[in-house]
Amino acid sequence: MAAAVAPAAPAAPAAPPARAPQAKISEAALAAALADVPELARLLEMDPYLKPFAVEFQRRYKKFSEILRNIGENEGGIDKFSRGYETFGIHRCADGGLYCKEWAPGAEGVFLTGDFNGWNPFSYPYKKLDYGKWELYIPPKLDKSVLVPHGSKVKFKHSRPKKPRSLRIYESHVGISSHEGKIASYKHFTCNVLPRIKGLGYNCIQMMAIMEHAYYASFGYQVTSFFAASSRYGTPEDLKELVDTAHSMGIIVLLDVVHSHASKNSEDGLNMFDGTDSCFFHSGPRGTHNVWDSKLFAYSNWEVLRFLLSNIRWWLEEYCFDGFRFDGVTSMLYHDHGVGKSFSGDYSEYFGLHVDEDALVYLMLANHLVHTLYPDSITIAEDVSGMPALCSPILQGGGGFDYRLAMAIPDKWIQLLKEYKDEDWNMGNIVYTLTNRRYLEKCIAYAESHDQALVGDKSLAFWLMDAEMYTNMSVLAPFTPVIDRGIQLHKMIRLITHTLGGEGYLNFMGNEFGHPEWLDFPRKGNDESYHYARRQFHLTDDDLLRYKFLNNFDRDMNRLEERCGWLSAPQAHVSEKHEGNKIIAFERAGLLFIFNFHPSKSYTDYRVGTALPGKFKIVLDSDAAEYGGHHRLDHNTDFFSEPFGHNGRPNSLLVYIPNRVALVLQNVDLPN
C-alpha cells in the first residue's frame, strides 16, 4: 500500500547560513551570552578555552529555544508536535474506515493504492489542505469487514529497566544472528541470542538495521521507510516481543537511528515523494551526499522537524526502545560532512560557517524530546570530529547527548597491528589514545565494532591470527606462536579498552570470542551469498575449540565491571607507561590494573605504585587456564602494599607479571 503523487514544479534550493567565526569576544558580548544560556558559565568554567566561542553557543541555544517556543505557540508544544505519526500516515477509524494524511507540498495530486484496490492508482484521491497537506477518508465496507487487514497488537508485560550505572553495549544485527546462511528472525534473536547476551554480562543492546531498508546489503544505513520495522526479520509484534523479553532480563535496548541521510530510492523511499527533490531534503547538490550516494534532510523545514521528531517518539512509544545511537552525526554537523577531513582538535574547526547549525539544533531538539519523555533514556552520538560540548547539557549550550563513541580507539589498535612489531608498540601513545577525551563528556570505548568486521577490513582476531583460525584453534593441538599471541593480545586489548578508554563499552556481536570470518552481505559481487552474513555462536559451545576461552574472558570482564563499576568511576590514574618494559599500570574504581605487553619478558617482584594501603588479591587474570592462558600465577597469593612511594603514588607492592598478561588486583581491606 502506498501514497502515489503527481509532481509539480521544483522549489528553489536553500542557501547555507552566512556567518563568520569569532576569534575574540568582548566583555559585553560574553555577558550577553551568559545571560541567554542558563548554564553556559558552568561549561566555560570547565573549559575556559571555549570562552571566545561563547557567542556561538548563545546563537545555537537561542535558535533551539526559538524553535521550541514556536512549536509551543503554533503546535501546542513539543509533546503534541512529536505525535505526528498519530495523524499523518494511514490510520483505522473507530467505525472501520481509514483516515489518511500526508505532507507533499510539491504534489499536484495524491492517491492511495494497494493490493486492496488492485493497485488502481486513481480510485482513492486525497483532498488538498493548506500548507502542502493532503487528506483522505475511506468509509467502512457495508458488511463492516475490514478494508485493509492488519495483524493483532501485543500487550507489554515488562516495564523499562532503569538507566544502568555502567553501560556495556552489545552491538547487534538481527539478520546475521544465526549460523545458517539465511536472514535470521526477530524470534530467533529473542530465543537464541538474548540469553547469550545476558550470560555475557552486557546490559544494553544496540540494534542495527531495524528501520526498514530495501537493500539488505546497506547494513540498514539506506533507510527507505522510517516508520516501519524491517519486515524481512518478522512482524512488528515479533520485534516488540524481542524488546520486551530484553527488558524482562534487565537489558535496555537502543535503536541505531539513521536521521543523517536517507535512501535516494524513489520507488520505496522519501526521495521525490511529492515529485520534487525538495520535499524532505535540500534541493540540488546540497541535498545529496556524494560519498554515501544518499539524500540529506533539510533540518530547518518545519514539517521535516515534525517528521523526524515524531519518528523519534514513535520508536520510543510503539516499540519501547530505551534510546538511540544517532548514526552519522559528523556528517550532520558540518556542511562538508567531514569528508576527507582530519580534525586536529583546534576549536576553530567546530565553530563558524562550516557548521550546519540547523542540523545541530535538530539534534538538540531530539535530545530534549527524548530526555523529556523518558529521563532514563540514553542517546549516543557517532561523531569522529570531537565537537566540544556535544555531550554537554543543552542548558549549557551543548548538544544534549549522553555519550559519544570514542572512534579513535579502534583505529589505534588496527594501526598497531598493521604497522608495528609488538616490541615497537608505544605504551605512552596507547595510554594517550585511550584517555584523550573531554572532561565530563562521556565516551563509549570499543576495540572494534561492525566497521572493523566488514569485508575490506579485518576484525582484531583476524589481524592477530588470520588463516590459522581455521586450522589451529583446537585444544587437542599445542599452541602455535600465532594462535598463542593472538589469544593473549585479544584479551589484553579488550580489557585495557574496557577499563581505561571511556565511561561505557561496546562490542560487536561475535567479536567477543574472536569470530573467525568477516562480514559480507549478499550482493552481486559475491553471487548473492549469505555465507559471510552470519555469526557462528556455536563455536563457543564446542569444548574442543579455543573460542570458548575468549568468550569466558569477555563474560568475566563484564561481570567484574558490574561488581566494581569502573565505567561509572572517575577516569583512571595512570602511574606507569614504561616503554622498555612494555608495562602499563593504573588505578580506577579501587582496582589496580597491570598490563605487560612485552612479547617475551616476564618480571618477578615488579614494583607497582598504588594509592591504597593494605592487602590485594587477584580478581581477574588473563593468563588463567579458563581463558586460554598459561596459568603462571597463583590466585591464592596475597599482595601487601607498603608505604614506599613509587611513580607518584604513596604506596607500592611487588608482583609477578608474566609476558602478554593483564592482571587486576583488588584491595580486600576496602568495604565492597
Side-chain angles (χ1 to χ4, degrees):
M1 183 166 56
V5 298
R19 300 187 184 99
Q22 294 199 11
K24 297 180 180 179
I25 186 170
S26 67
E27 290 299 321
L30 177 61
L34 291 171
D36 285 338
V37 185
E39 297 179 12
L40 179 59
R42 173 67 174 143
L43 179 65
L44 301 185
E45 178 186 348
M46 291 185 294
D47 188 351
Y49 291 101
L50 288 174
K51 187 177 291 186
F53 305 99
V55 172
E56 301 272 349
F57 287 109
Q58 177 192 32
R59 185 172 61 247
R60 295 172 183 178
Y61 184 80
K62 288 180 71 174
K63 192 169 186 177
F64 159 80
S65 299
E66 181 182 2
I67 293 176
L68 202 59
R69 184 172 59 253
N70 287 340
I71 289 173
E73 293 174 354
N74 298 298
E75 301 284 350
I78 197 168
D79 180 80
K80 184 177 179 182
F81 187 65
S82 62
R83 294 179 182 271
Y85 56 87
E86 294 181 351
T87 52
F88 285 84
I90 302 170
H91 300 273
R92 191 180 313 284
C93 303
D95 64 0
L98 288 181
Y99 177 76
C100 313
K101 187 177 181 181
E102 298 291 349
W103 177 66
E108 291 186 350
V110 179
F111 306 87
L112 185 69
T113 181
D115 53 9
F116 68 94
N117 69 344
W119 294 99
N120 185 321
F122 303 112
S123 61
Y124 291 108
Y126 283 62
K127 182 178 73 173
K128 190 173 184 178
L129 306 175
D130 293 335
Y131 306 110
K133 298 170 186 176
W134 302 76
E135 71 173 2
L136 166 67
Y137 173 71
I138 305 176
K141 291 184 177 180
L142 294 177
D143 61 2
K144 303 297 183 182
S145 63
V146 176
L147 180 67
V148 184
H150 182 65
S152 61
K153 299 285 185 182
V154 296
K155 182 179 180 181
F156 278 67
K157 307 169 287 293
H158 299 100
S159 60
R160 301 171 187 265
K162 292 188 178 298
K163 182 187 292 186
R165 174 184 67 167
S166 302
L167 202 59
R168 301 181 299 276
I169 304 172
Y170 200 79
E171 188 181 34
S172 303
H173 187 291
V174 170
I176 66 170
S177 62
S178 167
H179 70 276
E180 299 179 79
K182 65 177 186 180
I183 298 176
S185 67
Y186 295 123
K187 288 280 190 182
H188 171 87
F189 192 95
T190 301
C191 296
N192 297 282
V193 184
L194 280 182
R196 288 185 182 273
I197 296 172
K198 177 66 175 177
L200 284 167
Y202 291 92
N203 58 12
C204 175
I205 304 171
Q206 178 183 305
M207 302 296 297
M208 308 174 65
I210 295 297
M211 303 172 78
E212 189 62 279
H213 49 291
Y215 183 42
Y216 186 45
S218 73
F219 218 147
Y221 292 118
Q222 295 281 342
V223 176
T224 48
S225 186
F226 287 78
F227 287 88
S230 182
S231 60
R232 58 171 55 86
Y233 315 130
T235 67
E237 287 69 37
D238 293 342
L239 175 57
K240 292 176 182 179
E241 181 186 29
L242 187 162
V243 174
D244 191 51
T245 304
H247 285 170
S248 75
M249 296 177 173
I251 299 172
I252 65 173
V253 188
L254 306 182
L255 176 70
D256 198 354
V257 68
V258 185
H259 282 181
S260 51
H261 64 131
S263 171
K264 72 172 187 179
N265 184 335
S266 58
E267 293 295 320
D268 306 297
L270 290 175
N271 190 25
M272 304 296 290
F273 181 73
D274 66 347
T276 75
D277 69 347
S278 59
C279 184
F280 288 91
F281 311 112
H282 292 293
S283 182
R286 191 183 176 194
T288 300
H289 196 297
N290 292 326
V291 176
W292 294 345
D293 194 28
S294 54
K295 301 298 293 181
L296 299 173
F297 286 104
Y299 299 104
S300 62
N301 186 290
W302 193 258
E303 293 302 329
V304 171
L305 287 178
R306 188 199 306 273
F307 178 86
L308 294 176
L309 292 173
S310 296
N311 190 233
I312 289 289
R313 183 167 192 158
W314 185 77
W315 287 107
L316 287 172
E317 303 206 335
E318 183 70 14
Y319 290 94
C320 289
F321 280 100
D322 301 290
F324 303 94
R325 178 260 201 188
F326 280 77
D327 175 70
V329 167
T330 305
S331 174
M332 298 173 69
L333 292 176
Y334 307 97
H335 289 296
D336 62 6
H337 313 299
V339 174
K341 187 172 183 178
S342 179
F343 290 89
S344 67
D346 187 311
Y347 279 5
S348 64
E349 296 173 337
Y350 308 112
F351 304 95
L353 289 172
H354 48 286
V355 175
D356 188 338
E357 288 193 351
D358 291 334
L360 177 55
V361 169
Y362 161 68
L363 292 171
M364 295 168 70
L365 288 165
N367 279 308
H368 172 78
L369 175 67
V370 169
H371 293 115
T372 299
L373 291 174
Y374 299 100
D376 277 348
S377 292
I378 292 170
T379 58
I380 302 171
E382 188 207 25
D383 171 44
V384 72
S385 75
M387 174 176 276
L390 188 63
C391 299
S392 296
I394 292 172
L395 289 177
Q396 294 179 8
F401 283 99
D402 295 294
Y403 298 86
R404 61 159 35 100
L405 293 179
M407 301 180 73
I409 295 176
D411 292 342
K412 174 54 63 177
W413 292 123
I414 295 301
Q415 180 195 37
L416 289 172
L417 293 173
K418 285 175 65 174
E419 301 176 10
Y420 293 89
K421 297 178 181 178
D422 294 1
E423 55 267 30
D424 294 331
W425 285 17
N426 186 298
M427 300 296 103
N429 188 252
I430 291 173
V431 169
Y432 174 79
T433 302
L434 290 169
T435 59
N436 181 29
R437 56 188 185 272
R438 291 182 56 78
Y439 177 61
L440 293 183
E441 291 194 48
K442 295 186 288 188
C443 286
I444 303 293
Y446 59 105
E448 54 185 340
S449 69
H450 68 276
D451 288 325
Q452 286 71 41
L454 288 169
V455 64
D457 204 341
K458 291 182 181 180
S459 66
L460 287 179
F462 239 112
W463 279 113
L464 288 162
M465 296 176 280
D466 211 74
E468 287 203 23
M469 297 183 74
Y470 295 109
T471 57
N472 295 325
M473 289 294 277
S474 171
V475 299
L476 301 178
F479 267 132
T480 66
V482 169
I483 296 298
D484 187 12
R485 170 182 178 265
I487 285 181
Q488 311 318 326
L489 286 180
H490 191 275
K491 293 176 291 185
M492 295 181 71
I493 287 171
R494 298 172 77 79
L495 179 62
I496 197 170
T497 301
H498 203 311
T499 54
L500 193 58
E503 292 68 40
Y505 178 75
L506 178 143
N507 165 67
F508 177 63
M509 61 189 310
N511 285 356
E512 69 275 6
F513 64 85
H515 196 278
E517 291 177 343
W518 56 89
L519 187 59
D520 191 13
F521 286 86
R523 53 189 175 83
K524 289 183 179 180
N526 65 10
D527 294 326
E528 305 295 338
S529 171
Y530 285 85
H531 180 75
Y532 295 109
R534 58 184 183 140
R535 297 278 95 175
Q536 301 182 65
F537 290 108
H538 63 285
L539 296 175
T540 67
D541 302 327
D542 191 332
D543 279 338
L544 297 180
L545 295 178
R546 292 188 166 105
Y547 296 103
K548 65 179 181 179
F549 298 138
L550 299 178
N551 197 73
N552 292 344
F553 184 78
D554 196 77
R555 175 199 65 207
D556 291 350
M557 175 176 68
N558 282 324
R559 289 180 178 178
L560 182 61
E561 198 289 323
E562 173 67 23
R563 196 168 85 233
C564 299
W566 61 70
L567 289 172
S568 59
Q571 285 197 27
H573 180 95
V574 181
S575 61
E576 183 166 349
K577 37 191 176 182
H578 198 292
E579 299 302 340
N581 295 339
K582 301 301 178 191
I583 296 285
I584 296 173
F586 58 90
E587 294 167 280
R588 191 177 187 187
L591 301 173
L592 177 58
F593 300 88
I594 310 165
F595 292 80
N596 180 3
F597 280 98
H598 203 286
S600 58
K601 287 185 180 180
S602 300
Y603 303 100
T604 304
D605 290 339
Y606 196 90
R607 187 170 294 278
V608 180
T610 175
L612 301 173
K615 184 170 73 173
F616 290 75
K617 297 285 288 187
I618 296 173
V619 290
L620 189 63
D621 167 22
S622 70
D623 202 43
E626 60 264 37
Y627 308 140
H630 297 283
H631 194 49
R632 289 168 285 183
L633 289 156
D634 182 358
H635 290 194
N636 293 317
T637 302
D638 293 330
F639 302 87
F640 292 90
S641 66
E642 53 184 330
F644 185 90
H646 184 70
N647 285 339
R649 308 306 272 165
N651 304 289
S652 61
L653 49 78
L654 300 175
V655 299
Y656 170 48
I657 181 71
N659 67 303
R660 286 186 181 143
V661 166
L663 193 60
V664 185
L665 303 179
Q666 185 175 34
N667 188 301
V668 296
D669 292 337
L670 292 176
N672 290 328

